[in-house]
Amino acid sequence: MTRIFKVTTLFLLVGASVFAQKKVTVDEIYTGAFRTKGMDELSSMKKTNQYTVLNLDRNSRRSQIDLYDFATLKKVATVLDTKDHKELQSIDSYSFDASEKKILIATNSNPIYRHSFTADFYLFDIASKQLSKVLEAAQEPTFSPDGTKIAYGKENNLFIYDIASKTSKQITSDGKKNAVINGITDWVYEEEFAFVRAFDWSADSKKVAFIRFDETDVPEFTMTVFHKELYPKEEKFKYPKAGEKNAIVSLHLYDVASAATKNVNLGNYSDFYIARLKWTNDANILSAQVLNRHQSNLDLIFVDGNSGAAKVVLNEKDKAYVDVTDNLTFLKDNSFIWTSENDGFNHIYVYDKSGKLKNQVTKGKWEVTAYYGFDEKNKTIFYQSVENGSINRDVYSIGLDGKNKKRLSSQTGTNNATTFSPNFDFYINSFSSATEPTVFTLRESKSGKEVQKIADNVALTDKLKAYELPTKEFFVLKTGKGQELNAWMIKPKNFDASKKYPVFMYQYSGPGSQEVGNHWLSANDYWFMMLSQQGYITVCVDGRGTGFKGAAFKKVTQNNLGKFEVEDQIDAAKVIGSYPYVDKTRIGIFGWSYGGFMSSNCILKGADTFKMAIAVAPVTNWRFYDSVYTERYLTTPQENASGYDENSPINFVSNLKGKFLLIHGTADDNVHVQNSMQMIEALVQANKQFDMAIYPDKNHGIYGGKTRIQLFNKMTDYILQNL
């Protein structure tokens, strides 16, 4: 489960007099009037000290891939311009082969689920400027390391396209919808393990490793699609709910020359996940990360590419769960870099090629939040962390031996190294804070010194002056039970401490999440500021279970999702209600997805604290949600029935006193509308009055056309009328 409510940062157009406070409107927020300058589809080259950017002309729909020099930031050339190739209507994404002489371009993309999509793909030869269509409605095409072939998925099977002969060869033939998938993940892997491409090329281009998903026995979910048809249609897809059967996964090696496929025996596992697949720098050694169903035991396995023999080189155990990341990095000698919460905080470790620990690179009671890469020449690792406070992010460098650590960023807020030059001499840093919109700068990697500014949003800052928006205030809230929680507050600009204000609380609260962060405003922030202009205080509190404060703080909710998180929101509301400028009889709460689960629980379990609640796309009973996410935190319903039932809002509807608005999209493939339908029936049978809004054929994000505008206007009106 991932957050939906966060939206791309935006900028405000100002047309009114600067002498009067201009009012923020929902229409402005959700018609794209708020957009910061950014850098689209930036890709660092590997062969030259350059990078490419996909530049889009939104009016003419013209696209071009431009090449820039890292040292000067000057444009070197236009690699490809769609105006020169009429057959290419647009560029959705692109990738280079290893030689950086060919580009694979995606167009006509059609989304499937959150990350997956099909697209038509064109191959562009940079030297000859020749463009040719090579694939239709394909998934995840990937160049072989030698650049002669492209492996891809289509209709649940794997294929290899030979560039020279312009022909495709089918690797698998048993793929079938809702039965078998080869090389592409199923729904639950895509959503919860966050990857789609379940195949990988060996370093010598001789083999393709892939995962096969047998979904035959996975229960099928049926979703009604209404559209404008006379008779609604039914979409069926495999969705393993908590405690139900998962797809049976298996690992296979395909030899390109012999066209033979070898099955890999990973070991004595049952009911397991292959959460990651990656060839090492040794062309004959494949790595696979295998998790038990509880996700409390992870084995990093090395597989011999010839014999298929498998051995465990690293094992991680946790009383709660082990996080899976993409941070595994193999060095030239096949030793590897790994991140782990072994000491209670997420840190970087180095192991030799046999899996023996060489050293722990980073240490301290703080979290590494991103691993950027390794400079082989200078034996230096680059990473992001919360060493400067859990709501901030900074960029650091450190030696592979754990020495010579340097803070490269200098401003307090959110710093992110978006890309490094191939020689690691430079990096592009994006910085923002709650008071400063995003700025992109080129910096030296050794010192962090700014070389040149690339883009800023000073114009945005000037335009926002007409709105006289308040400042987001960060603080630590201490509950009556002694919990110290990160929080922020947005007060009306004309705040008067002698008055009493209603409070609207926003939260997400899911495991490892964070809403209290020092970064530039997102669409929800603009909405909250709009509410501040109408006399409301908005407060956000990250309770126990959220991230970046250590494993103990994050995993305290294990086997009891919704218990401590709800306690913390209720306790926080009581503290806020004690402030002299707050009307404690007028406190509301809102959330989306996991946040909707929380806001539903808060209005029920905190019936005497909250006057109203809005829940969008909420889980109302974890028995209805998917196996991978739910069992990671609760184990199965068969093992932990009380953990499921004692914190499911559907079981506490009789407590409802305040106003409750329930919102859901009928085409939500993630949190099924079944959750809200069951909640509605429980409320009806408890003879409780409530309000609801159902959005036909809208998914978990509830958007499209005027949908977001109508939705947020509805929620705004509900707040004005009931809080």
Side-chain angles (χ1 to χ4, degrees):
M1 174 182 283
T2 48
R3 289 166 288 183
I4 287 297
F5 191 61
K6 286 229 173 192
V7 179
T8 309
T9 51
L10 311 159
F11 72 84
L12 225 51
L13 295 175
V14 177
S17 168
V18 296
F19 299 105
Q21 183 184 31
K22 188 173 181 181
K23 300 295 185 182
V24 180
T25 67
V26 167
D27 284 55
E28 283 180 304
I29 298 171
Y30 293 103
T31 54
F34 296 86
R35 186 172 287 127
T36 51
K37 293 178 182 178
M39 304 179 74
D40 293 331
E41 292 287 335
L42 187 148
S43 177
S44 180
M45 306 298 280
K46 303 293 189 296
K47 299 291 185 182
T48 60
N49 200 38
Q50 298 169 321
Y51 64 93
T52 58
V53 175
L54 177 59
N55 288 316
L56 307 173
D57 186 323
R58 299 181 187 278
N59 295 320
S60 67
R61 297 184 64 82
R62 173 182 167 188
S63 307
Q64 58 189 57
I65 300 172
D66 292 322
L67 183 67
Y68 296 84
D69 182 79
F70 259 111
T72 65
L73 294 181
K74 291 183 179 179
K75 181 177 172 180
V76 176
T78 292
V79 181
L80 173 64
D81 193 326
T82 55
K83 76 176 179 60
D84 299 325
H85 302 276
K86 302 302 182 185
E87 68 272 38
L88 186 61
Q89 297 297 313
S90 64
I91 300 174
D92 299 335
S93 60
Y94 65 96
S95 60
F96 287 87
D97 72 338
S99 71
E100 297 181 341
K101 295 178 180 178
K102 299 182 182 71
I103 309 176
L104 196 58
I105 299 162
T107 188
N108 300 325
S109 298
N110 290 303
I112 302 173
Y113 299 120
R114 187 186 300 273
H115 307 289
S116 58
F117 64 93
T118 61
D120 296 337
F121 290 88
Y122 286 79
L123 188 63
F124 182 68
D125 186 283
I126 296 174
S128 68
K129 302 293 183 183
Q130 293 298 306
L131 181 76
S132 56
K133 189 175 185 179
V134 291
L135 303 172
E136 288 188 355
Q139 285 186 267
E140 302 295 318
T142 305
F143 283 110
S144 58
D146 64 9
T148 64
K149 298 175 177 63
I150 300 168
Y152 65 96
K154 185 171 182 176
E155 296 176 347
N156 289 27
N157 281 310
L158 267 181
F159 299 79
I160 291 180
Y161 177 83
D162 184 273
I163 294 173
S165 66
K166 299 181 180 180
T167 59
S168 282
K169 184 173 184 178
Q170 193 163 343
I171 295 178
T172 65
S173 58
D174 59 345
K176 182 181 179 183
K177 184 176 181 179
N178 290 336
V180 173
I181 315 172
N182 292 288
I184 301 293
T185 55
D186 65 357
W187 186 94
V188 76
Y189 266 63
E190 175 180 339
E191 177 66 26
E192 305 303 354
F193 290 129
F195 74 108
V196 177
R197 179 168 63 88
F199 67 86
D200 198 33
W201 284 99
S202 62
D204 58 7
S205 303
K206 293 180 178 180
K207 296 181 179 69
V208 175
F210 66 93
I211 305 172
R212 178 181 183 269
F213 296 80
D214 185 344
E215 298 187 294
T216 306
D217 294 329
V218 177
E220 198 169 66
F221 187 80
T222 301
M223 193 163 61
T224 301
V225 181
F226 297 96
H227 292 308
K228 296 180 181 179
E229 306 293 333
L230 184 60
Y231 292 92
K233 296 179 180 179
E234 289 187 342
E235 287 287 338
K236 298 179 183 293
F237 59 99
K238 299 288 188 167
Y239 185 108
K241 298 198 178 216
E244 299 297 316
K245 289 186 176 180
N246 286 321
I248 298 171
V249 292
S250 52
L251 181 59
H252 307 269
L253 297 171
Y254 176 79
D255 186 281
V256 176
S258 66
T261 300
K262 184 188 297 293
N263 301 334
V264 176
N265 180 7
L266 287 167
N268 189 27
Y269 298 102
S270 62
D271 216 353
F272 63 97
Y273 301 111
I274 304 175
R276 289 292 185 271
L277 184 71
K278 183 178 185 178
W279 284 93
T280 72
N281 287 331
D282 184 329
N284 196 46
I285 298 178
L286 171 72
S287 76
Q289 296 181 40
V290 175
L291 276 172
N292 62 333
R293 181 151 181 166
H294 283 173
Q295 299 168 65
S296 58
N297 187 95
L298 184 150
D299 286 336
L300 175 63
I301 296 175
F302 281 2
V303 178
D304 185 283
N306 292 325
S307 67
K311 65 176 181 179
V312 177
V313 295
L314 178 64
N315 171 258
E316 287 239 356
K317 289 184 173 68
D318 194 285
K319 291 180 180 178
Y321 57 89
V322 180
D323 277 319
V324 174
T325 75
D326 292 310
N327 296 334
L328 174 61
T329 302
F330 291 99
L331 309 186
K332 286 184 177 179
D333 63 356
N334 239 31
S335 59
F336 57 91
I337 294 169
W338 180 264
T339 56
S340 169
E341 291 180 319
N342 253 337
D343 71 353
F345 293 85
N346 192 52
H347 282 296
I348 300 171
Y349 296 78
V350 180
Y351 294 83
D352 68 19
K353 63 181 180 180
S354 68
K356 181 182 178 181
L357 178 64
K358 295 178 74 172
N359 68 290
Q360 181 176 343
V361 180
T362 60
K363 298 176 182 178
K365 292 185 177 181
W366 45 266
E367 304 261 307
V368 169
T369 46
Y371 165 79
Y372 292 128
F374 177 63
D375 177 1
E376 187 85 41
K377 178 182 176 182
N378 295 302
K379 305 300 180 187
T380 301
I381 290 173
F382 295 92
Y383 68 94
Q384 180 198 61
S385 78
V386 295
E387 292 172 64
N388 191 31
S390 58
I391 68 170
N392 300 311
R393 300 289 186 276
D394 282 286
V395 178
Y396 286 83
S397 66
I398 193 170
L400 191 65
D401 57 4
K403 298 178 181 178
N404 300 316
K405 183 172 72 172
K406 294 178 184 176
R407 180 185 175 194
L408 301 178
S409 47
S410 56
Q411 294 173 282
T412 300
T414 298
N415 294 273
N416 181 34
T418 59
T419 191
F420 281 81
S421 61
N423 58 13
F424 281 97
D425 285 346
F426 303 100
Y427 71 95
I428 294 175
N429 186 72
S430 71
F431 166 78
S432 77
S433 70
T435 56
E436 185 174 348
T438 309
V439 177
F440 291 92
T441 54
L442 180 70
R443 293 178 177 268
E444 292 179 353
S445 297
K446 289 184 178 179
S447 65
K449 180 183 177 182
E450 181 179 322
V451 177
Q452 190 175 339
K453 187 174 289 184
I454 303 173
D456 61 32
N457 285 281
V458 172
L460 161 62
T461 304
D462 292 337
K463 290 177 181 179
L464 284 174
K465 291 176 182 177
Y467 291 83
E468 296 183 29
L469 297 178
T471 300
K472 184 183 285 187
E473 302 172 17
F474 294 97
F475 63 104
V476 174
L477 185 148
K478 188 172 183 178
T479 69
K481 296 186 179 73
Q483 299 300 326
E484 295 186 349
L485 310 173
N486 290 341
W488 56 250
M489 177 181 290
I490 297 173
K491 297 173 183 173
K493 185 71 174 179
N494 58 352
F495 174 75
D496 183 346
S498 67
K499 294 182 179 180
K500 294 280 189 180
Y501 292 89
V503 169
F504 187 59
M505 292 179 65
Y506 163 65
Q507 48 66 56
Y508 177 74
S509 303
S513 65
Q514 184 178 59
E515 293 301 324
V516 183
N518 189 8
H519 50 71
W520 182 242
L521 311 179
S522 56
N524 47 343
D525 292 318
Y526 280 102
W527 186 52
F528 301 142
M529 290 189 175
M530 186 193 84
L531 292 175
S532 79
Q533 291 180 329
Q534 302 190 52
Y536 292 87
I537 291 175
T538 303
V539 178
C540 179
V541 179
D542 276 344
R544 283 172 290 177
T546 56
F548 313 112
K549 296 177 75 173
F553 186 86
K554 180 175 70 174
K555 295 177 179 179
V556 69
T557 62
Q558 191 69 11
N559 291 325
N560 238 334
L561 284 189
K563 175 178 169 56
F564 298 116
E565 305 98 300
V566 171
E567 280 184 15
D568 285 350
Q569 294 300 318
I570 294 172
D571 290 347
K574 289 177 179 177
V575 172
I576 293 161
S578 71
Y579 296 165
Y581 51 83
V582 168
D583 183 347
K584 67 179 181 180
T585 67
R586 297 173 65 195
I587 299 177
I589 190 165
F590 158 70
W592 197 307
S593 195
Y594 197 103
F597 158 73
M598 288 289 297
S599 59
S600 299
N601 260 328
C602 286
I603 192 70
L604 300 175
K605 293 191 174 187
D608 295 323
T609 303
F610 295 99
K611 184 181 181 182
M612 60 83 70
I614 300 174
V616 184
V619 172
T620 61
N621 189 323
W622 287 109
R623 294 173 185 269
F624 299 150
Y625 200 57
D626 77 62
S627 57
V628 174
Y629 183 92
T630 310
E631 294 171 16
R632 180 186 301 151
Y633 310 116
L634 288 173
T635 67
T636 66
Q638 295 88 337
E639 297 168 295
N640 182 25
S642 63
Y644 281 77
D645 300 334
E646 290 177 7
N647 299 304
S648 287
I650 202 168
N651 295 325
F652 298 93
V653 291
S654 61
N655 294 346
L656 182 63
K657 292 182 181 179
K659 302 293 290 187
F660 180 52
L661 175 58
L662 181 61
I663 298 169
H664 222 122
T666 66
D668 192 334
D669 61 284
N670 186 351
V671 180
H672 303 149
V673 73
Q674 173 190 20
N675 283 270
S676 285
M677 292 303 178
Q678 295 278 8
M679 185 75 171
I680 289 167
E681 175 61 11
L683 287 162
V684 169
Q685 294 309 317
N687 195 24
K688 295 293 182 179
Q689 296 301 315
F690 63 98
D691 297 280
M692 67 178 185
I694 298 296
Y695 287 83
D697 300 331
K698 295 300 183 286
N699 65 16
H700 198 50
I702 312 182
Y703 60 87
K706 301 284 187 181
T707 304
R708 276 287 173 105
I709 296 172
Q710 195 276 347
L711 168 61
F712 276 84
N713 275 323
K714 174 179 283 295
M715 293 195 295
T716 302
D717 291 343
Y718 198 80
I719 294 164
L720 295 175
Q721 293 165 11
N722 296 290
L723 189 60

